[in-house]
Amino acid sequence: MTLEEKVGQMHQIAGNDAVTGPHNPNSNDGEDLRKGLVGSMLNVVGADKTYKYQKIAVEESRLRIPLIFGHDVIHGCKTIFPIPLAESCSWDLDIIELSAQIAAIEASAMGLHWTFAPMVDIARDPRWGRIAEGGGEDTYLASKIAEARVKGFQGNDLGSLNTVAACAKHFAAYGASEAGRDYNQVDISENSLRNIYLPPFKSASDAGVTSFMNAFNVLNGIPATINELLVKSILKEEWKFAGIVVSDYNSIGELIQHGVANDKRESAELAANALCDMDMAGYCYRDHLVELVREGKVAESIIDIAVEKILTLKYRLGLFEDPYRYCKPNRENELLLNKGNRDFARDCARKSIVLLKNNGVLPLTKNSGIKKIALIGPLTESKFDMLGSWYCAGDENDVVSFYEGMKNRFGKDFEINYSKGCEIDSLYKEDFSEAINFAEQSEIIFAYVGEAGLMSGEASCRTDISLPGNQLSLLKELKKTGKPLVVVLSNGRPLEINWLAENADAILETWFLGVEAGNALADIISGDFNPSGKLTVTFPRNMGQIPIYYNHLNTGRPLYENPTEHYRSRYLDSSIEPLFPFGFGLSYTKFEYSNFSLSKNKIAIMEKFIATVDVKNLGAIAGEEIVQLYIHDKVATISRPVKELKSFKKIYLASGEMKKVEFNLSAEDFKYYDKNMEWNIEPGKIELFVGPNSEELLMQEIEITN
Ligand code: NOJ
């Protein structure tokens, strides 16, 4: 290969099927493809379209090297599943893996080889729009989800037609963007970096993820794209990651705005020397890397290693054997959005729903005596919003809306009246009266309110996380009718919903549920499916509490020790408690926890022990429960969180059934990066907690000896 051809492999250009960044197609792109100066394309989707470009690369370029097509397949490809934050609330690693697997099958049938997922950023700030794309605020759960998604996308064999290469992003700490504003700087300690933000990336790396993506943000003064601590020391040296590192969309070019490079040439030099293997849509490598190598500013060995990795991935994907193997229209027709995928999407969706409040109005059954239902709210008929952000090849015409789902399920036995009532984000009130009228004529109100699907996701941050527009005013008017009020919420982040928590009769947090949204909602509302989801992010009481998360450190003056004393850690104008804590979610049945015990009360560092708890279903119907185990390292050389999730089990209990739930643990599970940034656990006492959420917990203690 000539140096130009090698650098070409490190150059990724964007197509037009999606716009996922400031799109500046270069007029030379076509010519570059013919000359073999492009290694990869993103945002080209479909068997036909990818075929067209692949043909140019393999039939017109000198070396005939196939292109690798990457795309953001985030929560489904054609069959859109719940957004990742929603899916995380299922705490169901099997369905999470399977949804990634189905996404990979569909993506590979659409000519794609590489997904820019999973997004494994821990997010503790609901203002940040990209909280919707991740697995929530908890490091342990997000690490498990990262592993499940990588396995789902990549399977056991990248060479199989049904799998795609995955990409752990955004490396790293992007979720800690200051003030919850996208692309903003991140300034966190190495302690937080290693203990909170990096473990999901490590988990993806251990699961064999083929690539990593640099984050847009500056981390502790140095842009992540050229941050040596991140890429050289941690990713390559400590974790021995040998796969590809791709920049984010022009994150190399943006080194100029970050003020660390004068121009694109310097940007290219810095990024290549920081071992970024591929330049996404930045044209910095294309325009300057050859020259930089010739001048000795970048060693050719860096280029060779990057190119070897890129070609190896193409080889593993079978592209050298048959560059067109992923772009066969018949496969596309057969595999996209088939019945099996839809059924699975429905199951995924109902498992992602979290019941936040219920004073007995749900489920709605024929025996309730109710005959007339009012469906109110701007999301009731919406299809597009159900897709959420990053809806890939999803099409709103394939979505079952809430209205359709309710009509299908309840239309025969109930009279259903629908009025939109208001828009999602407008101050127009003219339609209130029709909605109130319908509500008055009905015996129960379902108000479907929340955010638009694109109010979260990239570059979609909010400073005000309450219900947009006039929706709360509408709910207040509906409440005045005195009819039972069930609020169904769709949103990509925790919202500030104090009024609802006090005044609604029931609240369902449903995020954005994808193509089967309406059917899944009807399954839950009818009781055909018993809700089992639990929050993976904390809901604040008000915006001033942000950031609020369950696994915080203690203060020296915790309020619980002496609530009446002035000099305590509190707000004068608000509780410090969340509205709904991490791990919280109700069921239509009741579970009782008892007999929490440990097989030992002292263990040596490597010794194993078992924690056991009895969980009983006290209600009349079967249900699933997510049994959560937390720890607190009471005394260590660094301050440790008041609680940290360390294990969980999802169990099914028939009515009246009791199960002994066992957790096999050892002190290894309690390790963390200590003050010397060593992975360690010190002797001392550990409190263990078990329960249905991060607050209602039974406790035991174990001592770790030397
Ligand atoms: C920018 C986003 O940050 C990243 O997540 C995505 O993969 C790329 N754009 C490509 O669309």
Side-chain angles (χ1 to χ4, degrees):
M1 293 174 83
T2 62
L3 181 57
E4 286 78 2
E5 284 164 338
K6 289 195 246 179
V7 168
Q9 289 301 310
M10 300 167 73
H11 173 45
Q12 185 181 55
I13 61 172
N16 290 320
D17 289 343
V19 177
T20 62
H23 193 44
N24 300 313
N26 187 304
S27 55
N28 293 318
D29 284 351
E31 200 44 31
D32 285 352
L33 279 168
R34 285 186 179 87
K35 288 190 183 150
L37 300 181
V38 177
S40 173
M41 289 189 78
L42 80 154
N43 297 347
V44 180
V45 188
D48 286 347
K49 290 186 188 155
T50 50
Y51 178 82
K52 189 179 96 192
Y53 291 109
Q54 193 67 300
K55 194 161 161 24
I56 300 176
V58 299
E59 294 183 23
E60 297 187 41
S61 75
R62 189 180 77 93
L63 294 176
R64 302 169 169 261
I65 299 176
L67 296 166
I68 178 168
F69 292 97
H71 196 56
D72 294 291
V73 185
I74 307 293
H75 54 110
C77 184
K78 186 75 183 165
T79 307
I80 300 300
F81 300 118
I83 57 168
L85 181 60
E87 232 183 45
S88 72
C89 293
S90 71
W91 298 54
D92 191 325
L93 300 175
D94 293 336
I95 67 152
I96 291 172
E97 182 173 336
L98 196 52
S99 82
Q101 192 183 324
I102 293 174
I105 293 171
E106 291 193 343
S108 65
M110 295 195 84
L112 301 170
H113 314 131
W114 184 16
T115 174
F116 302 127
M119 187 276 215
V120 302
D121 295 310
I122 296 296
R124 295 168 153 188
D125 191 328
R127 293 172 297 183
W128 192 53
R130 302 199 79 171
I131 195 170
E133 294 171 45
E137 74 188 28
D138 180 67
T139 302
Y140 175 82
L141 179 59
S143 301
K144 293 282 172 198
I145 292 175
E147 180 189 354
R149 289 222 161 97
V150 170
K151 285 189 183 157
F153 286 128
Q154 298 193 163
N156 297 325
D157 176 14
L158 260 195
S160 139
L161 262 187
N162 284 335
T163 54
V164 292
C167 181
K169 70 185 190 186
H170 308 81
F171 198 57
Y174 183 36
S177 293
E178 229 171 61
R181 179 158 55 82
D182 214 356
Y183 318 123
N184 207 2
Q185 69 163 335
V186 171
D187 214 302
I188 55 171
S189 65
E190 194 173 339
N191 174 348
S192 293
L193 179 69
R194 287 185 181 267
N195 284 313
I196 307 294
Y197 293 94
L198 290 187
F201 287 96
K202 173 76 164 60
S203 166
S205 170
D206 290 345
V209 74
T210 40
S211 62
F212 266 62
M213 185 186 290
N214 301 124
F216 280 126
N217 53 282
V218 167
L219 173 63
N220 300 338
I222 301 170
T225 304
I226 56 162
N227 195 304
E228 299 212 344
L229 171 70
L230 282 179
V231 182
K232 282 195 181 161
S233 309
I234 297 180
L235 185 60
K236 308 257 162 159
E237 282 161 28
E238 288 180 34
W239 301 353
K240 314 277 178 242
F241 177 74
I244 294 172
V245 177
V246 61
S247 78
D248 203 343
Y249 203 112
N250 192 35
S251 71
I252 300 182
E254 289 169 18
L255 295 174
I256 300 168
Q257 283 78 4
H258 286 310
V260 296
N262 278 304
D263 49 30
K264 287 194 157 200
R265 190 172 187 279
E266 273 183 32
S267 297
E269 178 181 343
L270 289 168
N273 284 323
L275 308 184
C276 173
D277 301 309
M278 191 179 279
D279 177 3
M280 180 190 288
Y283 294 84
C284 300
Y285 284 0
R286 176 198 180 276
D287 293 342
H288 302 288
L289 203 45
V290 169
E291 199 179 296
L292 287 163
V293 173
R294 298 229 157 95
E295 286 172 14
K297 298 246 164 72
V298 175
E300 191 157 357
S301 58
I302 288 185
I303 310 295
D304 288 344
I305 292 170
V307 175
E308 188 184 330
K309 286 190 293 189
I310 294 163
L311 296 182
T312 304
L313 180 59
K314 292 180 177 183
Y315 177 79
R316 286 179 67 197
L317 287 160
L319 291 171
F320 284 107
E321 221 173 277
D322 176 5
Y324 303 123
R325 64 199 296 256
Y326 297 90
C327 33
K328 309 268 182 230
N330 59 333
R331 252 189 102 229
E332 200 171 36
N333 293 336
E334 178 196 333
L335 295 173
L336 299 188
L337 202 71
N338 62 28
K339 164 100 172 52
N341 296 2
R342 278 204 95 106
D343 289 348
F344 176 74
R346 180 169 179 167
D347 196 37
C348 247
R350 54 200 191 180
K351 288 182 170 151
S352 304
I353 294 170
V354 187
L355 178 64
L356 292 178
K357 181 177 179 186
N358 186 17
N359 66 11
V361 288
L362 291 180
L364 177 64
T365 62
K366 266 208 242 170
N367 312 334
S368 60
I370 289 178
K371 285 265 159 287
K372 287 186 183 171
I373 306 177
L375 300 185
I376 313 282
L379 284 154
T380 308
E381 272 197 314
S382 173
K383 290 172 175 257
F384 179 68
D385 296 297
M386 300 298 105
L387 299 172
S389 70
W390 298 115
Y391 49 86
C392 201
D395 182 340
E396 61 180 311
N397 296 312
D398 296 324
V399 172
V400 180
S401 69
F402 180 52
Y403 181 74
E404 289 167 342
M406 291 295 278
K407 269 272 188 206
N408 293 343
R409 180 61 182 78
F410 293 98
K412 255 200 317 168
D413 304 315
F414 295 79
E415 182 187 323
I416 301 179
N417 283 311
Y418 161 62
S419 170
K420 194 172 187 185
C422 66
E423 299 298 326
I424 294 175
D425 196 8
S426 141
L427 295 178
Y428 183 74
K429 277 189 170 180
E430 303 300 302
D431 296 334
F432 274 30
S433 54
E434 182 192 70
I436 294 160
N437 210 351
F438 281 161
E440 273 164 354
Q441 291 164 31
S442 305
E443 291 147 315
I444 188 165
I445 309 164
F446 288 88
Y448 196 2
V449 294
E451 296 181 314
L454 296 181
M455 281 186 171
S456 52
E458 187 176 348
S460 299
C461 303
R462 300 179 63 204
T463 58
D464 179 349
I465 59 161
S466 57
L467 283 171
N470 259 338
Q471 296 182 91
L472 186 57
S473 312
L474 176 64
L475 292 175
K476 289 183 176 169
E477 292 304 318
L478 294 174
K479 174 77 187 171
K480 287 186 195 157
T481 64
K483 305 291 161 107
L485 176 62
V486 178
V487 177
V488 183
L489 282 171
S490 265
N491 38 273
R493 55 165 62 76
L495 295 180
E496 196 252 271
I497 51 168
N498 276 311
W499 187 90
L500 305 190
E502 271 170 38
N503 295 286
D505 293 283
I507 306 174
L508 284 167
E509 175 52 77
T510 78
W511 314 106
F512 296 109
L513 293 173
V515 284
E516 283 290 322
N519 287 331
L521 282 165
D523 286 342
I524 292 277
I525 289 169
S526 61
D528 292 348
F529 191 87
N530 190 353
S532 56
K534 306 246 188 185
L535 294 179
T536 56
V537 277
T538 302
F539 272 51
R541 279 174 194 274
N542 55 57
M543 288 171 271
Q545 287 185 322
I546 298 170
I548 179 168
Y549 44 90
Y550 86 97
N551 49 353
H552 57 85
L553 305 186
N554 213 352
T555 68
R557 297 179 180 185
L559 191 59
Y560 61 78
E561 277 185 355
N562 192 348
T564 55
E565 192 183 43
H566 178 71
Y567 294 100
R568 289 282 151 184
S569 182
R570 61 149 66 80
Y571 295 116
L572 292 179
D573 54 355
S574 161
S575 152
I576 60 168
E577 300 301 327
L579 184 62
F580 294 110
F582 176 84
F584 179 81
L586 302 170
S587 160
Y588 293 151
T589 185
K590 270 224 154 349
F591 299 102
E592 179 192 65
Y593 285 66
S594 62
N595 297 329
F596 181 34
S597 64
L598 307 182
S599 60
K600 297 175 185 164
N601 49 24
K602 258 193 191 153
I603 49 163
I605 300 264
M606 297 302 290
E607 213 177 322
K608 298 198 158 107
F609 70 100
I610 300 172
T612 312
V613 65
D614 293 343
V615 185
K616 184 167 183 193
N617 180 352
L618 300 179
I621 57 166
E624 283 184 299
E625 169 68 333
I626 298 158
V627 183
Q628 302 162 36
L629 183 133
Y630 297 85
I631 67 154
H632 173 216
D633 190 338
K634 279 175 86 173
V635 181
T637 45
I638 63 169
S639 189
R640 301 296 299 139
V642 292
K643 269 166 228 160
E644 288 175 276
L645 185 73
K646 284 294 165 194
S647 193
F648 63 89
K649 294 247 157 88
K650 191 167 179 178
I651 57 166
Y652 174 88
L653 291 175
S655 160
E657 190 185 0
M658 196 274 282
K659 270 189 185 145
K660 267 197 186 315
V661 181
E662 285 190 358
F663 297 93
N664 290 301
L665 300 161
S666 85
E668 281 285 301
D669 298 311
F670 308 150
K671 284 190 165 173
Y672 56 89
Y673 283 93
D674 66 13
K675 67 174 183 199
N676 303 316
M677 293 306 130
E678 270 157 26
W679 187 236
N680 196 7
I681 178 80
E682 296 156 323
K685 289 188 176 151
I686 304 278
E687 289 170 341
L688 287 111
F689 307 93
V690 77
N693 59 59
S694 62
E695 285 188 356
E696 293 167 67
L697 297 163
L698 302 174
M699 193 185 100
Q700 283 290 347
E701 201 171 83
I702 197 160
E703 190 175 344
I704 300 174
T705 57
N706 259 322

